[in-house]
Amino acid sequence: MLVKKIIDEWDPIDLFPYAPEDEYEEEVKQIEECTRNASLDKHNLAKEIYTMFRGKFGSDIFTESLESCTNIANKILELPHFIGYTLSKLRTYEWVRYNMFAREDLYHHTPGFYFRFFNPGKVYNELATCIDAFQGELQWKLYLGLETRNQNYSLEPYEVYQARLTDEYKKNYNLKRILGDKYNEICEKGITDIPSLSDHIEDWFNLENKKPIFPDCDSGKI
């Protein structure tokens, strides 16, 4: 789903809108298989993409450069970190989990961002208003973590937030069971929302020309 969206938008041999939606299905599957390697970097993935398209379509039809493939590879691999990158322009993190989803298994958990700012001031209230105004595939919610001792905040799809409030969740912590048939759809739509949600936050706070500040705290416990 994620890779398909990126490759279709790139459309490296200019097939759309005349080709069927599954035109790049074989290439997408190969790229998805590559991304299951957690140690893969953008340069190696770019070479895989370049070699695959060049080998199948030839240099006369596939005219994209290795640099262009690197940009696509970076877009695929960095998507889990988009929101973390954007919010680091707003304040310095005191604690954060950067990955919003697992690249190797998109359905491992629902997409979400969990963090705590150093000296936040009123920024949480402002950010909550910003998130409420976002119009994407899903409605999103910023809230103080329900089971936190350190004032950690959660940014998740609103339906996930509601599921966490149920008595059933408090008993078994099983979101897949509570969300049922909606679970996979929420994962897919949530991941699709990440780039536009990131852009929305940047526009709201005018962060485009600000530099991010990344602390040395890639993991932690809520």
Side-chain angles (χ1 to χ4, degrees):
M1 184 280 306
L2 166 63
V3 174
K4 182 181 187 308
K5 178 177 175 59
I6 293 173
I7 296 301
D8 285 353
E9 289 179 351
W10 182 35
D11 191 13
I13 57 173
D14 296 322
L15 294 175
F16 297 129
Y18 305 106
E21 291 185 0
D22 63 350
E23 185 65 35
Y24 292 115
E25 182 177 12
E26 181 179 337
E27 292 75 25
V28 166
K29 287 181 179 178
Q30 291 184 42
I31 295 170
E32 286 177 337
E33 186 63 33
C34 289
T35 62
R36 292 189 177 94
N37 178 359
S39 63
L40 185 74
D41 65 26
K42 66 179 181 181
H43 300 293
N44 289 331
L45 180 57
K47 290 177 183 177
E48 292 284 348
I49 293 172
Y50 181 82
T51 301
M52 177 179 59
F53 278 103
R54 193 77 176 262
K56 181 170 182 179
F57 298 105
S59 58
D60 291 339
I61 296 176
F62 178 72
T63 59
E64 298 287 344
S65 66
L66 182 58
E67 181 180 2
S68 176
C69 294
T70 302
N71 290 335
I72 293 300
N74 188 58
K75 193 171 184 179
I76 291 170
L77 296 180
E78 291 301 314
L79 189 55
H81 310 290
F82 270 19
I83 298 297
Y85 179 86
T86 296
L87 290 183
S88 69
K89 297 180 180 183
L90 192 58
R91 288 289 191 279
T92 302
Y93 294 120
E94 186 174 359
W95 177 89
V96 63
R97 287 179 180 168
Y98 283 115
N99 289 336
M100 289 191 71
F101 63 92
R103 274 197 293 113
E104 62 276 11
D105 181 3
L106 302 185
Y107 306 107
H108 182 268
H109 58 79
T110 53
F113 186 66
Y114 312 99
F115 67 104
R116 180 175 70 250
F117 284 135
F118 181 75
N119 291 333
K122 297 181 179 180
V123 72
Y124 291 129
N125 292 335
E126 297 170 3
L127 183 57
T129 301
C130 166
I131 299 303
D132 288 345
F134 174 69
Q135 297 181 349
E137 293 288 333
L138 299 175
Q139 181 181 357
W140 288 74
K141 174 76 173 179
L142 176 73
Y143 63 96
L144 181 63
L146 302 174
E147 297 179 357
T148 175
R149 287 174 283 181
N150 296 304
Q151 297 293 298
N152 299 324
Y153 276 73
S154 300
L155 174 59
E156 294 183 313
Y158 187 74
E159 287 182 88
V160 176
Y161 164 71
Q162 288 183 309
R164 292 190 190 278
L165 295 177
T166 63
D167 290 336
E168 184 177 354
Y169 179 78
K170 294 173 184 177
K171 291 179 181 178
N172 58 41
Y173 300 99
N174 192 332
L175 285 173
K176 286 185 178 181
R177 179 175 176 179
I178 297 169
L179 293 170
D181 294 339
K182 289 186 176 181
Y183 181 88
N184 284 6
E185 181 182 358
I186 288 173
C187 289
E188 294 171 1
K189 288 185 175 181
I191 293 170
T192 299
D193 267 348
I194 291 174
S196 53
L197 178 57
S198 178
D199 289 343
H200 173 76
I201 295 169
E202 289 223 355
D203 291 343
W204 188 279
F205 290 97
N206 193 24
L207 300 175
E208 182 178 357
N209 297 318
K210 292 189 177 182
K211 294 182 178 180
I213 302 174
F214 296 117
D216 185 18
C217 55
D218 292 320
S219 63
K221 294 182 179 181
I222 295 179

